[in-house]
Amino acid sequence: MSGGSLVRSAVGIDDISVYIPRLYLELADESRPEKPTEFSLSRKSDPSKYLHGIGIAKMSIPDTYQDSAVLAANAILELMDRNNVHPASLARIDIATETGVDESKPVAAYVHGMLEQRYGKGSLKRTSGVEYKFACVSTADALESSLDWAWAGRSNGRNSIICATDIARYPLSSPGEPTQGAGAVALLVKEDPRLLTIDPVIGTHMEDEDDFWRPLFSTTAVVHGKHSERCYLRAMEGAVDDWAEQAVASGIIKAGPSESLVDHVGPMSFHVPYPKMAEKGFAYLLRHFWRGLPRWKNILGEIGDEPRMDSYKTREEFEKAEADYMKRFMETHQFQTEYLDKVADGLVHARESGNSYSASEKSCLSMLLETKATRGTDLAGKRGGSGNYGSGCKAKASSWTVQEEWATIAKKFGHAEKLRHRRSLSLAEYEILHEGKPFPDGRKFVAEPENEFVLVDVTSQGYRHYKFAD
Ligand code: HMG
């Protein structure tokens, strides 16, 4: 300690591993967007709406032997194997999820059991674990807690793993249905990480909202779709404002007179319920930070002045004008340049896999870093940003610095390869899996397990058994 301020160690993410279910349902054919798909025909919809309107081409669907615990254990096992992590070196393995499997026993405990099947009974007995819940934002909460613990000097040379895992499910034929998905992402969190160090400056915005929830009696979420989009935008802006105030006060970022804080942040990843939402969110943030700068005057010159509430009779008319205005902004060269440079590469994960709730933002971060590394982009030393949103609602904004070794690590994620290594489902197979019904031909699953954890059975008392299927 000096001068009343704590000297914190550099802590952050050392490696990332993503688990993507190997089954998907095609919503739109990316090479021929106008061609109807089985899904678009059955839902009497236009496939272009999926591909261009919300930005999703395929949704990941778990097989019969997969739940959120299995997805998490598979992501963590890969992370530990790839990095030769000794179980005793882990002080905590925390799980973020909103689709847990029990009202009392955390997914963290089931995951512990699965990992001990591989590493030996008792190998993780000194490793703690807890389940974090706050819709999609709980990953940011779990990560913040691990960082605080390490910054407080409590890690004693041990590391932690944060794993986010979820299965996003809405009722069949509901508006939310095309924004489903599933997956898990595991982060190795340690001092002096090889990938990203995280700034000790985290912004928050929270309110009690009724945009999306899943009551105890339901396996699918209830959602007020349009309201949830407004909540996302408002909360994200609030969290970024909170982050910006702290970043400026602590001297992490100093913006010059005609600069925006966002100019000092390079790659960015957001919670992605569907790619268009994240693109819109980024547009609202840029407008927020560019207003008053010379470049915003140029944009006003191109697309006209912003709509003002007092020029419209009703709130709906104003909101419609505002949405149209933002669409025009999103078409400008200035917006497109920033979007393609900083955000777009990560959203490919969500286009190909859908929403994975708590796992969404960090899965898109994985895709973003792997893509930039493969392309040879030089990010070392650059500051990046993450924006997390969870319905209910809360947003978190944080920033990080890309480390020297990042590209070597990111090239080994295998993310794009995992997206390629999948099998397409027929609509009938998808609906059977969605409703948890038996297959008419007696099949127990769609795809044979491939060296991974599987759910074996659930007893009449609701206890779950898992094994590793070689
Ligand atoms: P909808 O009513 O089916 O869609 O619901 P729409 O009619 O509004 O169309 C969507 C977009 O497609 C529109 O663009 C249309 O113009 C366009 P926009 O005006 O929004 O820019 N469109 C087309 N484009 C090209 N060709 C066409 C065409 N037709 C229409 N032919 C909605 C959409 C997202 C509301 C729905 O899918 C939904 O309810 N999803 C679930 C909720 C959600 O994802 N909310 C996002 C924010 S909340 C959040 O992120 C939290 C969450 O992840 C949960 C958690 O935190 O745990 C959900």
Side-chain angles (χ1 to χ4, degrees):
M1 260 237 258
S2 68
S5 68
L6 188 70
V7 180
R8 294 186 181 86
S9 49
V11 185
I13 302 173
D14 190 70
D15 194 5
I16 304 179
S17 145
V18 171
Y19 182 85
I20 303 165
R22 284 189 311 283
L23 307 178
Y24 69 84
L25 182 71
E26 185 180 63
L27 304 189
D29 180 340
E30 287 165 75
S31 54
R32 291 180 57 201
E34 68 298 338
K35 187 178 140 218
T37 55
E38 231 191 328
F39 182 77
S40 72
L41 287 171
S42 94
R43 302 305 186 251
K44 299 185 176 47
S45 186
D46 180 350
S48 302
K49 173 176 169 179
Y50 305 135
L51 194 60
H52 302 305
I54 59 174
I56 299 185
K58 300 182 181 84
M59 303 187 298
S60 285
I61 307 291
D63 212 322
T64 49
Y65 49 80
Q66 294 182 314
D67 60 10
S68 56
V70 158
L71 304 184
N74 287 325
I76 296 171
L77 185 65
E78 181 185 322
L79 186 72
M80 289 178 68
D81 275 357
R82 193 163 67 215
N83 292 285
N84 292 318
V85 173
H86 194 279
S89 72
L90 293 172
R92 45 204 281 180
I93 302 179
D94 292 335
I95 306 289
T97 185
E98 60 178 292
T99 50
V101 295
D102 192 278
E103 299 296 351
S104 173
K105 180 163 176 165
V107 167
Y110 279 120
V111 165
H112 220 83
M114 281 186 256
L115 294 172
E116 285 204 343
Q117 287 183 32
R118 299 295 291 166
Y119 293 105
K121 187 77 188 149
S123 55
L124 288 163
K125 69 178 177 219
R126 297 225 164 113
T127 305
S128 183
V130 71
E131 181 176 311
Y132 281 80
K133 179 166 79 177
F134 198 131
C136 305
V137 74
S138 54
T139 317
D141 291 313
L143 182 56
E144 190 173 349
S145 167
S146 248
L147 294 168
D148 283 342
W149 164 81
W151 283 328
R154 291 202 51 221
S155 57
N156 294 323
R158 293 172 85 204
N159 306 322
S160 55
I161 288 180
I162 304 297
C163 182
T165 177
D166 265 313
I167 296 170
R169 202 173 273 149
Y170 299 93
L172 294 179
S173 301
S174 68
E177 190 188 19
T179 62
Q180 298 176 120
V185 59
L187 317 172
L188 183 58
V189 179
K190 62 191 291 269
E191 286 180 31
D192 301 321
R194 293 166 300 169
L195 206 54
L196 317 169
T197 54
I198 301 180
D199 294 328
V201 158
I202 296 174
T204 301
H205 179 102
M206 179 165 160
E207 340 178 13
D208 178 8
E209 267 300 347
D210 64 343
D211 61 328
F212 165 109
W213 65 99
R214 185 167 63 82
L216 291 177
F217 55 80
S218 178
T219 55
T220 53
V222 184
V223 60
H224 297 151
K226 296 291 166 199
H227 179 54
S228 73
E229 294 173 333
R230 286 190 287 270
C231 291
Y232 178 111
L233 295 173
R234 192 175 63 238
M236 198 67 90
E237 187 172 298
V240 174
D241 275 345
D242 185 28
W243 165 84
E245 255 179 52
Q246 298 177 55
V248 171
S250 62
I252 284 176
I253 295 184
K254 290 188 188 74
S258 60
E259 282 182 343
S260 139
L261 279 190
V262 186
D263 299 346
H264 294 260
V265 184
M268 287 186 215
S269 96
F270 296 99
H271 168 54
V272 189
Y274 53 92
K276 269 284 165 194
M277 181 78 248
E279 189 181 341
K280 265 188 220 173
F282 184 57
Y284 276 76
L285 278 188
L286 283 190
R287 177 178 70 166
H288 185 61
F289 282 97
W290 284 3
R291 274 182 183 136
L293 298 180
R295 75 189 85 164
W296 190 245
K297 289 207 183 81
N298 295 338
I299 288 168
L300 295 182
E302 258 178 65
I303 63 172
D305 286 340
E306 292 183 51
R308 288 164 45 129
M309 180 61 211
D310 56 12
S311 315
Y312 296 88
K313 285 202 196 86
T314 63
R315 173 122 216 124
E316 287 69 37
E317 282 177 28
F318 167 68
E319 280 177 2
K320 166 89 181 57
E322 169 84 345
D324 289 345
Y325 187 81
M326 290 311 281
K327 274 185 196 163
R328 291 208 294 282
F329 172 46
M330 285 161 74
E331 280 162 12
T332 62
H333 167 70
Q334 295 91 324
F335 173 78
Q336 282 298 320
T337 305
E338 287 280 295
Y339 170 69
L340 293 175
D341 179 37
K342 297 182 171 177
V343 181
D345 288 328
L347 302 189
V348 171
H349 170 82
R351 187 185 75 212
E352 298 302 314
S353 188
N355 189 0
S356 50
Y357 290 162
S358 64
S360 154
E361 186 268 320
K362 289 291 179 271
S363 300
C364 290
L365 176 64
S366 155
M367 182 95 256
L368 179 77
L369 294 175
E370 180 181 291
T371 309
K372 300 264 187 226
T374 311
R375 212 179 276 148
T377 312
D378 183 11
L379 290 183
K382 292 240 160 64
R383 177 160 273 114
S386 287
N388 295 82
Y389 174 77
S391 288
C393 73
K394 179 163 75 181
K396 290 263 173 190
S398 55
S399 51
W400 28 268
T401 304
V402 182
Q403 299 301 290
E404 282 301 320
E405 271 186 83
W406 76 280
T408 316
I409 308 301
K411 280 183 194 163
K412 292 185 189 146
F413 290 166
H415 198 136
E417 178 50 32
K418 288 174 195 170
L419 286 170
R420 277 192 291 272
H421 181 63
R422 292 188 297 168
R423 168 201 190 288
S424 169
L425 288 169
S426 69
L427 184 68
E429 287 173 323
Y430 153 70
E431 292 192 346
I432 286 169
L433 287 170
H434 189 283
E435 298 299 288
K437 290 185 177 155
F439 286 101
D441 57 9
R443 273 183 295 166
K444 292 283 177 258
F445 47 73
V446 179
E448 193 79 42
E450 288 179 14
N451 287 320
E452 58 190 320
F453 291 110
V454 295
L455 173 65
V456 179
D457 64 20
V458 182
T459 68
S460 57
Q461 287 186 310
Y463 195 80
R464 308 169 85 83
H465 292 118
Y466 297 95
K467 72 166 190 188
F468 190 80
D470 291 298

